[in-house]
Amino acid sequence: MRRMLLLLLLLPAAAAAVSLPPSNKVVFILGGQSNMAGRGGVVGSHWDGMVPPECAPNPSILRLSPQLRWEEAHEPLHNGIDSNRTCGVGPGMSFANALLRSGQFPVIGLVPCAVGGTRMADWAKGTDLYSDLVRRSRVALETGGRIGAVLWYQGESDTVRWADANEYARRMAMLVRNLRADLAMPHLLLIQVGLASGLGQYTEVVREAQKGIKLRNVRFVDAKGLPLEDGHLHLSTQAQVQLGHMLAQAYLNYGHAHSQSPISWWLQIMLACCLIFL
């Protein structure tokens, strides 16, 4: 009887251990606005439900849910994150599947953080969006692994006003510096997608700002020329698949070779406290 009670007590702990993601996962943060959140296959407020084979779920691709739990990833990847809009296919799943096919990654963790309609000013340090991005990035590392890169696709909303377009380069550089400081990763790789479209007349101004950022470990992948879903703003499903492959190739060509295994943010704090009391 005692053995049976002990077994019953141990079962929940064993189940929780099985559900923990592998500690050798490589984590990718997905940030920006609607084209990163994914509008492929979305017409009005309806998603057609079509998932290309390149975006198929795989047990080795995980998503950090809105409730901060790891689960098997599937489209729409930003469902519950970009919560006030209809999400469809984005670049994240085709990116992850392309990395898996390279045979260099045992498990990939995706951390969706993009929110449609946001300007760069909405991602400044101290805003809710920035705080959520940092919090979700930290939680993603609590069970082990490392951050491979931040994938960033944003800027369409900054093409409407000259003031936003003119400030884009400065705000983007500040975002990179703040993320590196707050995640204790001074060499954090950020792969930025160059705009394929814009909401206003200053699209080329923002594109030039994106291409002109000279920070180390900031790479540029150009989405210009990829087909648009609604003729002027959102990438089509197949364009999102192609973009995911482009991002994967950029990471394989640069990021994987330059990646480091940073000390976790919580370990950084512990080490700092130890130094204080020495």
Side-chain angles (χ1 to χ4, degrees):
M1 185 66 179
R2 287 183 178 178
R3 288 182 179 178
M4 182 63 71
L5 288 173
L6 180 60
L7 180 60
L8 290 173
L9 288 172
L10 290 176
L11 278 175
V18 170
S19 68
L20 287 175
S23 60
N24 60 345
K25 65 185 177 297
V26 183
V27 173
F28 295 91
I29 314 301
L30 313 181
Q33 58 179 113
S34 56
N35 271 315
M36 178 57 79
R39 299 293 188 267
V42 174
V43 178
S45 60
H46 177 71
W47 175 49
D48 62 16
M50 300 298 293
V51 178
E54 299 92 338
C55 301
N58 186 301
S60 296
I61 303 175
L62 306 177
R63 173 185 100 131
L64 190 69
S65 74
Q67 295 76 33
L68 304 177
R69 294 192 295 265
W70 287 108
E71 60 188 15
E72 185 172 324
H74 60 79
E75 297 287 7
L77 196 60
H78 273 77
N79 191 35
I81 301 295
D82 191 10
S83 55
N84 294 322
R85 298 167 179 84
T86 302
C87 295
V89 174
M93 288 301 293
S94 64
F95 166 81
N97 275 305
L99 290 188
L100 280 186
R101 287 193 295 271
S102 74
Q104 303 177 53
F105 302 85
V107 177
I108 293 171
L110 300 176
V111 183
C113 297
V115 177
T118 53
R119 299 178 301 127
M120 182 57 71
D122 298 324
W123 293 90
K125 184 169 181 174
T127 62
D128 290 342
L129 287 175
Y130 179 85
S131 298
D132 285 345
L133 188 153
V134 171
R135 177 173 61 99
R136 289 174 59 76
S137 300
R138 288 174 172 174
V139 169
L141 297 179
E142 287 180 353
T143 52
R146 61 180 176 84
I147 295 178
V150 175
L151 309 182
W152 185 263
Y153 191 172
Q154 187 276 335
E156 293 92 344
S157 293
D158 289 271
T159 67
V160 176
R161 300 193 312 166
W162 167 252
D164 288 330
N166 191 48
E167 283 287 291
Y168 194 90
R170 184 188 66 80
R171 288 171 175 166
M172 185 68 211
M174 187 60 65
L175 174 71
V176 175
R177 294 189 180 100
N178 287 336
L179 284 176
R180 287 174 174 174
D182 289 336
L183 295 177
M185 296 181 62
H187 305 292
L188 175 66
L189 172 65
L190 186 140
I191 304 177
Q192 180 181 209
V193 180
L195 292 186
S197 59
L199 285 167
Q201 60 181 320
Y202 301 114
T203 302
E204 288 305 316
V205 176
V206 174
R207 280 180 49 80
E208 289 304 312
Q210 292 175 325
K211 290 187 285 186
I213 294 175
K214 302 301 182 184
L215 292 176
R216 186 177 180 182
N217 286 359
V218 175
R219 314 303 290 177
F220 179 82
V221 170
D222 202 346
K224 189 172 185 178
L226 294 177
L228 301 174
E229 187 79 71
D230 50 12
H232 73 279
L233 186 61
H234 294 130
L235 296 185
S236 68
T237 296
Q238 285 306 314
Q240 290 284 18
V241 170
Q242 186 175 345
L243 177 60
H245 291 167
M246 293 163 63
L247 289 166
Q249 196 59 55
Y251 182 74
L252 290 171
N253 289 345
Y254 181 84
H256 195 39
H258 292 75
S259 62
Q260 300 180 6
S261 298
I263 299 174
S264 299
W265 66 272
W266 53 268
L267 187 54
Q268 290 268 356
I269 295 174
M270 290 177 64
L271 289 173
C273 291
C274 290
L275 290 173
I276 292 173
F277 292 105
L278 283 179

